[in-house]
Amino acid sequence: MGFQSFCSVRRGGRFFNYNIKIEQDMKSDIVKKGIERAPHRSLLYALGWRREEIDQPFIGIVNSFTEVVPGHIHLRDIAQAVKAGVHSRGGVPFEFNTIAVWDGIAINHPGMKYSLPVGN
């Protein structure tokens, strides 16, 4: 089983297009194939997914959007655009969050010394 992936990447003001054919099982098959994964599939069905969606590649989208970090406000819109792109190419996006570090709220706080290593 294989699938094709297409992406467009912008680097230095130029766009590079990639069309990749992968001749192996999808990594997401680990959570959706086989009798032992029935509980996993039942969760996806409970979310309203159809069998056709479960058969597509799952694509993880990490987003550090939060309403308390001014520099992250735009990330909600970017994540929505990425999800739309994944859908348009036949994938199923899974958005999940990660830590958002804001030095502005950590200033003059004992934890301030840890914000820069976390952010890098």
Side-chain angles (χ1 to χ4, degrees):
M1 176 165 116
F3 66 93
Q4 280 196 309
S5 175
F6 175 82
C7 68
S8 181
V9 178
R10 183 177 180 180
R11 291 192 181 136
R14 297 180 57 199
F15 282 96
F16 298 89
N17 295 318
Y18 301 96
N19 197 3
I20 304 163
K21 184 168 176 99
I22 299 171
E23 295 293 337
Q24 62 185 16
D25 291 342
M26 295 178 280
K27 291 219 180 238
S28 53
D29 285 348
I30 291 171
V31 297
K32 58 186 178 180
K33 299 277 181 167
I35 190 71
E36 66 280 355
R37 299 299 186 227
H40 300 72
R41 289 189 301 274
S42 68
L43 172 66
L44 298 174
Y45 289 131
L47 291 170
W49 288 28
R50 298 181 317 274
R51 181 73 214 179
E52 300 81 38
E53 293 170 308
I54 294 174
D55 289 338
Q56 299 303 315
F58 293 173
I59 309 296
I61 299 170
V62 183
N63 188 358
S64 64
F65 164 80
T66 179
E67 293 179 344
V68 279
V69 179
H72 290 205
I73 294 294
H74 68 290
L75 296 178
R76 177 187 283 170
D77 296 333
I78 291 174
Q80 292 301 318
V82 170
K83 287 166 56 174
V86 168
H87 270 296
S88 74
R89 298 303 297 174
V92 178
F94 276 90
E95 183 180 351
F96 58 97
N97 64 328
T98 187
I99 190 169
V101 178
W102 179 29
D103 291 338
I105 204 155
I107 291 175
N108 294 326
H109 185 276
M112 179 63 184
K113 61 186 168 194
Y114 299 109
S115 68
L116 292 177
V118 170
N120 293 326

